Amino acid sequence: MNAKLTTKTIPVKLKENSHYIHIGKGLFKTIASHIAKLNPGNFGIVITSPNIYAPYRKLILKNFKPGKYKIIQVVDGEAAKSKKWLFEVVEELIRANSWKRRPFIVCLGGGTIGDLGGFVAGIYKRGIPYIQIPTTFLAQIDSSIGGKTAIDSPRVKNILGVIYQPKAVFIDPDFLKTLPLSHFKEGLAEAVKYGVIKDPQLFNFLKTHHKKILQGDPSCILRVITACVAIKAKIVEQDEKETKSLRTILNFGHTFAHALEGSLKYRKISHGQAVALGMVYAANLSFNLGFCSQQPVSQIKEILELFGLPTTIRFNQLKAYQSLVYDKKFLTGRLRMVILEKIGKVRVSEAISPSEIKKTFKVLNRPFIDKYR
Ligand code: GLY
């Protein structure tokens, strides 16, 4: 890489499709040259959206030149992961088809663009190369890594998916300068999750530097991104296809988060807020079941509050319970959940009883408070 001094490179070593994650401020300025070195093909379809295209138009056009690249702007947000946009991209690939061309995809945007682009790359002609350039904090620390890609049906999120690894991931924290605080907080919830599941040092760093992080301090943010990426890369290396339930620990807080989102019909709260609430729920459940002491439960609540993330919410307990029951993790009348033992240590339990699930709802069911909304 050119920007050797400032770029950190983290490998993802897999049986097939090993690749590197490059993290560096200003990496995007010369992204075309970094991509060219990988030789992914000779015609790139860049999938992006108005939220990224508008502020970064100059750099995008400088790097992705006509003739070598075609830029497609899809809609911002979850709606990009739809049949409509899937076929828009597929049609573009078909139009680009010629015996001289070896097409590849560049996902330039948040998690939804990474999901859409990665999914198309995985299924078009049974797989073409793709590159991830995540632009949101959440995508930089989590969703651009691991190769899980999916699109939604009108009724069910992520119902069509493949695990398909990118050729490389390029993370440029400079993109975060234009990211709204509410979107940044989506990522903060996941950063806390990484501390909780694997890294007490990261957890303490997030706590002691919360003000600087919220102010967008570049070196603090770079440190958080690097720590989270390293954790995720290691977990994916050990359990790429989630066959050993190791990768399942990344779902800490997500089972209840999905149930909550489902019961609120994805309207009232963001995913990051749901994950924050899900972690408080999972921590309390772990305490109620005797897996951990009260201390880590309070620590998780405290850190989320420092980041202005919610820790209580009024919700319909019956609906949330029904959503949990229909969740794919519900096996033989017992719920499978990631349980907290202490900060930095979690494990998967397959034996959570319905009565405990309902009992723990009460801990959260208070008015919703979000300081920075
Ligand atoms: N793309 C997200 C993951 O693989 O976990």
Side-chain angles (χ1 to χ4, degrees):
M1 310 252 22
N2 281 344
K4 241 181 198 133
L5 286 176
T6 50
T7 302
K8 252 200 151 23
T9 296
I10 296 175
V12 185
K13 293 183 215 138
L14 302 166
K15 271 208 193 110
E16 283 166 23
N17 304 318
S18 293
H19 57 278
Y20 290 104
I21 302 165
H22 306 283
I23 308 167
K25 271 178 68 54
L27 207 51
F28 188 64
K29 285 187 187 139
T30 51
I31 193 71
S33 66
H34 302 312
I35 293 176
K37 279 180 207 146
L38 295 167
N39 191 19
N42 60 11
F43 190 75
I45 302 279
V46 180
I47 308 176
T48 191
S49 67
N51 273 350
I52 289 299
Y53 190 77
Y56 299 100
R57 188 173 163 273
K58 264 194 183 160
L59 270 184
I60 291 173
L61 296 177
K62 187 184 136 215
N63 277 283
F64 302 127
K65 299 247 163 58
K68 283 196 166 176
Y69 285 95
K70 169 86 205 240
I71 299 159
I72 312 179
Q73 286 192 65
V74 304
V75 71
D76 280 298
E78 192 68 24
K81 290 169 58 176
S82 61
K83 187 170 90 180
K84 171 182 157 50
W85 289 106
L86 165 69
F87 280 99
E88 291 276 346
V89 179
V90 168
E91 286 303 321
E92 204 56 63
L93 281 160
I94 293 169
R95 273 196 287 279
N97 197 32
S98 108
W99 64 271
K100 281 190 225 148
R101 279 186 176 154
R102 285 179 297 120
F104 64 98
I105 287 178
V106 177
C107 306
L108 174 62
T112 54
I113 285 176
D115 260 1
L116 170 71
F119 182 71
V120 179
I123 60 168
Y124 180 76
K125 293 193 172 177
R126 298 187 188 87
I128 57 170
Y130 78 109
I131 312 278
Q132 288 279 22
I133 310 174
T135 58
T136 63
F137 191 39
L138 176 59
Q140 294 189 343
I141 65 168
D142 193 63
S143 56
S144 67
I145 302 142
K148 280 190 185 172
T149 68
I151 64 163
D152 306 335
S153 86
R155 282 186 302 146
V156 190
K157 221 174 142 170
N158 292 337
I159 193 76
L160 298 176
V162 286
I163 296 184
Y164 187 63
Q165 299 296 340
K167 264 240 164 292
V169 183
F170 293 97
I171 300 174
D172 185 345
D174 279 352
F175 279 115
L176 305 181
K177 288 180 189 158
T178 52
L179 188 73
L181 180 62
S182 58
H183 290 218
F184 183 61
K185 282 165 56 180
E186 299 276 304
L188 281 176
E190 295 290 344
V192 169
K193 177 197 82 179
Y194 280 108
V196 173
I197 64 171
K198 273 276 174 213
D199 192 344
Q201 269 180 333
L202 170 64
F203 190 88
N204 287 337
F205 183 83
L206 289 167
K207 187 179 160 194
T208 46
H209 294 78
H210 71 275
K211 277 200 185 123
K212 281 187 161 183
I213 292 169
L214 279 172
Q215 285 159 3
D217 180 272
S219 69
C220 285
I221 287 178
L222 197 59
R223 176 142 179 215
V224 174
I225 293 174
T226 310
C228 295
V229 167
I231 296 169
K232 180 131 186 201
K234 270 277 155 289
I235 292 175
V236 172
E237 279 179 352
Q238 290 166 53
D239 187 19
E240 184 191 7
K241 311 274 182 202
E242 204 166 349
T243 47
K244 301 176 201 155
S245 87
L246 234 163
R247 207 173 158 154
T248 310
I249 67 168
L250 293 165
N251 285 339
F252 180 71
H254 284 61
T255 303
F256 179 73
H258 292 154
L260 196 58
E261 285 174 311
S263 69
L264 298 169
K265 295 275 175 253
Y266 296 98
R267 266 181 227 125
K268 287 191 191 133
I269 56 169
S270 69
H271 181 63
Q273 290 171 330
V275 170
L277 290 156
M279 288 192 286
V280 176
Y281 177 81
N284 274 289
L285 184 73
S286 309
F287 172 71
N288 288 346
L289 291 168
F291 287 106
C292 69
S293 67
Q294 181 61 50
Q295 195 193 17
V297 183
S298 310
Q299 285 175 296
I300 292 175
K301 228 176 142 223
E302 184 193 1
I303 197 167
L304 294 171
E305 281 165 4
L306 288 173
F307 283 133
L309 285 159
T311 54
T312 59
I313 187 166
R314 283 241 182 272
F315 65 102
N316 182 318
Q317 297 185 33
L318 182 63
K319 277 196 184 154
Y321 181 72
Q322 283 165 344
S323 281
L324 272 179
V325 171
Y326 288 118
D327 190 286
K328 60 182 180 300
K329 296 169 200 84
F330 204 93
L331 306 167
T332 60
R334 301 250 145 183
L335 192 74
R336 181 176 195 220
M337 272 186 80
V338 186
I339 287 297
L340 175 71
E341 291 188 354
K342 59 182 182 184
I343 299 298
K345 193 160 190 288
V346 294
R347 70 179 176 88
V348 179
S349 169
E350 310 261 352
I352 312 294
S353 75
S355 63
E356 277 303 334
I357 289 164
K358 289 183 203 155
K359 205 172 108 192
T360 307
F361 280 159
K362 294 191 181 67
V363 183
L364 289 188
N365 210 351
R366 310 225 179 83
F368 178 76
I369 302 162
D370 174 18
K371 282 196 275 181
Y372 295 89
R373 215 142 126 93

